[in-house]
Amino acid sequence: SSQAPRPAERRKSAAARDVSGQPTFRLLGTSAYGTTELDFPNEREVLQSFECEEFTQFTYRFSHIGKIQKALQGSIRTSLRVDDNGVLSFQFQMPGVVSDGKQCNPYIEFTCLALSDDD
């Protein structure tokens, strides 16, 4: 028997390919309150680089993905990678700071494991 997840158990999925078969990046959020999809076209103005050789889909717990919000809001550049095992890695380049008289752009990195079929 399948139950709708409780709000605390909301999940996010990442998938690739649009209706024309061209690669795209999709975020899908599902909860007891409904589903939301956000598609990113494979266009230079939106994604600096996008590579995906085949349909790929992984599921992550929303409470884990939600932890990136402050870093994402403050970042000047964001990198997102997913490996073949579903390990999701975010790198956020933060605004420049001066340290010991030198300009530097620090990075913040988050890594998240995909849910297994048992989760």
Side-chain angles (χ1 to χ4, degrees), residues 2 7 13-15 19 28 30 40 46 51 66 70-71 75-76 81-82 84 87-88 92 98 100-101 113:
S2 161
S13 292
V19 293
L28 172 69
T30 304
F40 298 87
V46 178
E51 296 176 20
K70 286 184 181 180
S75 69
I76 57 175
R81 290 183 174 88
V82 179
D84 293 340
V87 176
L88 175 63
F92 303 102
V98 176
D100 294 330
L113 300 177

Side-chain angles (χ1 to χ4, degrees), residues 46-58:
V46 178
L47 299 172
Q48 182 176 5
S49 172
F50 179 82
E51 296 176 20
C52 185
E53 296 177 10
E54 61 186 33
F55 179 84
T56 305
Q57 180 172 332
F58 295 104

Side-chain angles (χ1 to χ4, degrees), residues 68 71 81 88-92 107-111:
I68 71 163
R81 290 183 174 88
L88 175 63
S89 174
F90 290 96
Q91 287 184 333
F92 303 102
Y107 285 84
I108 298 174
E109 184 168 356
F110 287 89
T111 303

Side-chain angles (χ1 to χ4, degrees), residues 31-112:
S31 75
Y33 303 109
T35 300
T36 300
E37 292 182 6
L38 183 58
D39 287 339
F40 298 87
N42 190 8
E43 297 174 2
R44 188 90 174 151
E45 304 85 47
V46 178
L47 299 172
Q48 182 176 5
S49 172
F50 179 82
E51 296 176 20
C52 185
E53 296 177 10
E54 61 186 33
F55 179 84
T56 305
Q57 180 172 332
F58 295 104
T59 302
Y60 305 89
R61 197 167 301 284
F62 180 77
S63 61
H64 297 163
I65 303 296
K67 305 249 185 247
I68 71 163
Q69 187 174 2
K70 286 184 181 180
L72 178 62
Q73 290 172 343
S75 69
I76 57 175
R77 177 179 280 171
T78 300
S79 170
L80 181 143
R81 290 183 174 88
V82 179
D83 72 11
D84 293 340
N85 297 312
V87 176
L88 175 63
S89 174
F90 290 96
Q91 287 184 333
F92 303 102
Q93 183 180 11
M94 304 311 286
V97 295
V98 176
S99 176
D100 294 330
K102 297 179 183 177
Q103 177 77 22
C104 66
N105 290 92
Y107 285 84
I108 298 174
E109 184 168 356
F110 287 89
T111 303
C112 185

